Amino acid sequence: MKKLLYFLIALMFISVIPEISYAQSNDPFEQQTLKATNRSGRREKKVNRRKVEEQPVQQVAPAPKPEPKPEPKPVVKPSTVKISNPCEEWLDVEFVSLIGSRASQTISLTLKVNNHGLNKEMNIGGAFVGYDSEGEEHTRGWAPEHYKTLTDIPFKTSFEIPGKINPSKTTVMPIMKFNIGDCSVEMRDVPIDWK
């Protein structure tokens, strides 16, 4: 009885286990398929091992160097000069510079003037009045300079402001008045560029 029980258990055990070896199968096609899958499985394992062995160690790349920052361009401050021009419909007046000479303690005003009217001769000058930051008056009466102007063609003109101005005490001309043609132009808060 024990032998019969062992025999039944063995049969059940054998029926549960699938055919693994090619020798147990009688079908030649099945034997070749099993051999091929076993070989390819072994090859894949070998190839996978090689890949693991062959993979180079990833090196950490150094952080890229930051690009050099371009040198900042000098900031051009918008002109704070206030210009009062009663003839704006035909005349543009633009402040260019007020250059001072420390050695001679004099300053020179440069303007850009644009006539929008007809081509004509224009007088600049005749009378100049200005006050420095110490309250000193600077006046000048001179024969006006004549300019032949073309319509909408700007031109520059410069003239020296009369009197001595102390560079250590005056950095801005609070007010200046002068004539362009029949217009009395006024400029306020004009910065002096001392050289």
Side-chain angles (χ1 to χ4, degrees):
M1 182 86 149
K2 279 186 181 180
K3 286 183 182 179
L4 185 59
L5 185 61
Y6 286 133
F7 181 71
L8 287 175
I9 292 174
L11 276 177
M12 285 174 48
F13 185 72
I14 289 173
S15 66
V16 175
I17 297 176
E19 291 183 275
I20 296 176
S21 117
Y22 355 100
Q24 293 174 352
S25 175
N26 293 335
D27 186 359
F29 179 75
E30 191 176 81
Q31 287 180 0
Q32 288 177 354
T33 307
L34 285 173
K35 284 181 185 177
T37 56
N38 272 344
R39 284 185 197 151
S40 67
R42 287 182 197 151
R43 282 189 201 143
E44 286 178 14
K45 287 179 185 175
K46 287 181 183 176
V47 170
N48 286 341
R49 281 188 210 141
R50 281 188 208 147
K51 284 183 181 175
V52 169
E53 292 170 5
E54 292 175 3
Q55 286 181 349
V57 177
Q58 291 184 350
Q59 297 177 354
V60 177
K65 293 181 180 177
E67 293 182 20
K69 293 180 180 176
E71 301 238 351
K73 294 180 182 177
V75 177
V76 178
K77 295 180 180 177
S79 179
T80 58
V81 177
K82 299 175 190 92
I83 299 175
S84 172
N85 175 9
C87 304
E88 287 179 338
E89 66 275 355
W90 64 270
L91 178 69
D92 282 341
V93 179
E94 182 181 331
F95 167 75
V96 176
S97 66
L98 184 59
I99 306 293
S101 167
R102 290 182 185 278
S104 64
Q105 295 185 339
T106 58
I107 56 177
S108 177
L109 176 65
T110 302
L111 305 170
K112 188 188 287 184
V113 179
N114 192 352
N115 173 22
H116 298 297
L118 299 174
N119 296 344
K120 65 178 184 176
E121 193 170 288
M122 190 179 295
N123 299 327
I124 298 179
F128 175 88
V129 177
Y131 291 91
D132 63 24
S133 55
E134 293 183 337
E136 297 292 326
E137 182 182 46
H138 299 270
T139 59
R140 176 179 174 183
W142 76 95
E145 294 182 32
H146 303 286
Y147 295 90
K148 287 192 175 183
T149 64
L150 301 175
T151 303
D152 294 327
I153 305 294
F155 67 93
K156 283 185 182 178
T157 182
S158 296
F159 53 88
E160 198 168 292
I161 293 172
K164 301 279 185 189
I165 297 175
N166 188 343
S168 62
K169 294 183 179 178
T170 304
T171 57
V172 172
M173 285 292 283
I175 187 167
M176 294 187 290
K177 289 183 180 182
F178 49 90
N179 294 332
I180 298 178
D182 296 335
C183 291
S184 178
V185 177
E186 182 180 294
M187 300 177 108
R188 290 183 178 264
D189 302 324
V190 185
I192 304 170
D193 184 11
W194 289 105
K195 306 239 183 219

